[in-house]
Amino acid sequence: MEKYNSTEREWIKALGSTRPELIITTLYEIRNSGSVTMLPFLIDLIHSKTDSGVRTEIINLLGEIKNKEAIPILVESLENHDFGEYLPAFVAACWQSGLDFSKHLRVFANLFVHSDYITALEAFTVMEESIENATDNDRIECIRWLRESEYLVSDEKLPLFRELRKVIEES
């Protein structure tokens, strides 16, 4: 914990508390400070054993992030963390934040293909919001990956998948 200042160390300690009211107070402090260094600790709290009010506040905070430095942290979390039933809310927070995920279209395309319908819909929205900022190479890579993955898409998501391809290909 040497790389954290004294305030951040206090926040980390508070986030480890079993008292939801202390954690929520700490979340407000983190939200007001704009510190992205706390994101990994917050993301680790998005699981079923965390108080639902705390979890909701964390998801709300993620949806309000405007700092571009958060993008790689959020994307890495999506790639390496099992959010279980909270995945749709986490993905929704990505598009709600308004951050540009155009360099990570494939991560969201993968979520679209391999997740349930609600998560796919949220991933679609992230991609739709970010596609205008994507480079030609990012778009081409995403289109290629989507074409190769079409056979993996469930019948339930197939109409939405076709719409996603259309949005990506026509942008």
Side-chain angles (χ1 to χ4, degrees), residues 75-88:
V75 170
E76 182 183 345
S77 296
L78 284 167
E79 293 176 314
N80 300 316
H81 203 286
D82 180 10
F83 291 103
E85 64 188 274
Y86 309 108
L87 181 60

Side-chain angles (χ1 to χ4, degrees), residues 120-163:
L121 190 57
E122 301 297 357
F124 180 111
T125 305
V126 173
M127 295 172 71
E128 187 176 40
E129 295 292 319
S130 296
I131 194 65
E132 66 188 40
N133 299 317
T135 64
D136 288 342
N137 285 342
D138 291 334
R139 257 181 269 190
I140 290 166
E141 178 188 332
C142 185
I143 291 166
R144 185 177 303 124
W145 192 88
L146 287 170
R147 286 179 180 163
E148 292 170 0
S149 302
E150 185 168 0
Y151 74 96
L152 297 170
V153 178
S154 68
D155 290 343
E156 173 190 39
K157 293 188 296 189
L158 206 50
L160 188 61
F161 178 80
R162 289 186 181 124
E163 186 63 25

